[in-house]
Amino acid sequence: MFEKVFKLKANGTTVRTEILAGLTTFMTMAYIIALNPNLLTNFDGGSPLWNGVFLATCIASAVGMFAMAFLANKPFAMAPGMGLNSFFAVVVANIVGITGMSYVASFQTALIIILAEGIIFIVLSVLNVREKIVEAIPLGVRLGISPAIGLMLMNIGLGSNVGIYAEGNGFAAPFYVMRDFFGALTPSVIKGNMGDVGYATMILTVVTMFIGLFAIIILAKKGVKGAVLFGMLLSSVIYWAGQAIFLHTNPFASLATASFVPPFADMAATTLFKFNFQGIVQVGWFTIITLIITFCIIDMFDTIGTLVGTASRANMIDEDGNMPQMKEALLSDAVGTVVGACTGTSTVTTFVESASGVEAGGRTGLTALTTGIIFLACIFIAPIAAIIPAAATSAALIYVGILMLMGLKNINFGDMDQVVPVGIMLIGMPVSGSIGHAIGLGLISYTFIKVLSGKFKEVSVLTYIISLIFLLKFFVVA
């Protein structure tokens, strides 16, 4: 059955490989299950809204991945996008300030923006407009997307993915591996800043992260299938043991009081088809339309960048840099976004962590289907997913990021028309945290270089339009 649906032999893969790849992808992005409702509800854990967003996160992600599996037959996973969910939370807070409505009512108003975005993307995908936009991106810029995403993954793995709250600063702000541990003048400085327990946690995190990373590298060099997954499991076990032995804490304590009963009643009361159309009138149509356009621009290029970059790493693109079934892949994230709006979460987009599953051998929709099924199961087993240590996922993200840097070999470093946009994207993605914004900067620089060097005819009309849109986005749109 799997062979007929997903064409495993034609893609050089097996059921076992695809399932392992799907599990690997899940482990690297499982953090979103709890983080998304935290961000969208201001960390109001246990509230009816938090419970509704939690279920919406699992359901919308799963539906998006099922669409990716059966429409596009690609191994890419989807979930509410990081960055986009933070922006959504800011929009909700602003609606509260503008209208005086409750947070829940404002949240339900903002869901209409996400619904409109998803419907627009479905229409644009069906009409091939989004695919044409992908094709309008110059080849050199497209080739640079994958290594730029690689640097972004490494930055996440060594930075924001592992934030340790410690007693040294009163648990006010997190300490990070690269910035605070490796950036410290001496070990005594970081220990003094974090306190004894915080510093011990940091040491455990750094050690297990690099053990996991080197385990993945050695296993991969030996040709072991599922090297990323096995390295993450080893790292997790070491971290759990370290918590028990050195920190004297029970890594599984949260399971004792965890609830495994899905809070469907809370979702029905707060987010399920709870669109507050009356709130639109209070906010104002101009503001709403501006927000819809902003969400569309960010999401479109985040998704395009992730698809092109990850597909490049998996050798899923042709000689012109185009990915087969791009239309269907783009349609899948639009479907996920509409489902997310109807159930109660922000924009669903293709996750850059999909690269970990691709590196584990995932080549077909069976990988996405596997990840989607696990996400759906997390309605019941979320507490188990929550105990996967960040150090383990960071090991995978760093490894995959390093591999994606290999795409730099395809860049013509003798051609400034390619090097400048790619160089800007390489620094733009990890620093801004936005794939879409970095691509926008790359396109703007490419267009200006071509025009100012008298080669304006080499720039397509659509590239001019996209560059202009990003210029307006960066400098004009309020």
Side-chain angles (χ1 to χ4, degrees), residues 361-404:
R363 292 295 181 271
T364 74
L366 182 54
T367 294
L369 177 63
T370 301
T371 308
I373 289 173
I374 301 173
F375 257 81
L376 204 56
C378 278
I379 291 173
F380 304 94
I381 63 170
I384 296 177
I387 64 173
I388 299 171
T393 59
S394 282
L397 293 174
I398 296 167
Y399 171 71
V400 174
I402 292 170
L403 294 180
M404 295 185 80

Side-chain angles (χ1 to χ4, degrees), residues 83-98:
L84 285 163
N85 52 11
S86 297
F87 182 46
F88 180 89
V90 171
V91 168
V92 174
N94 287 339
I95 292 176
V96 172
I98 293 170

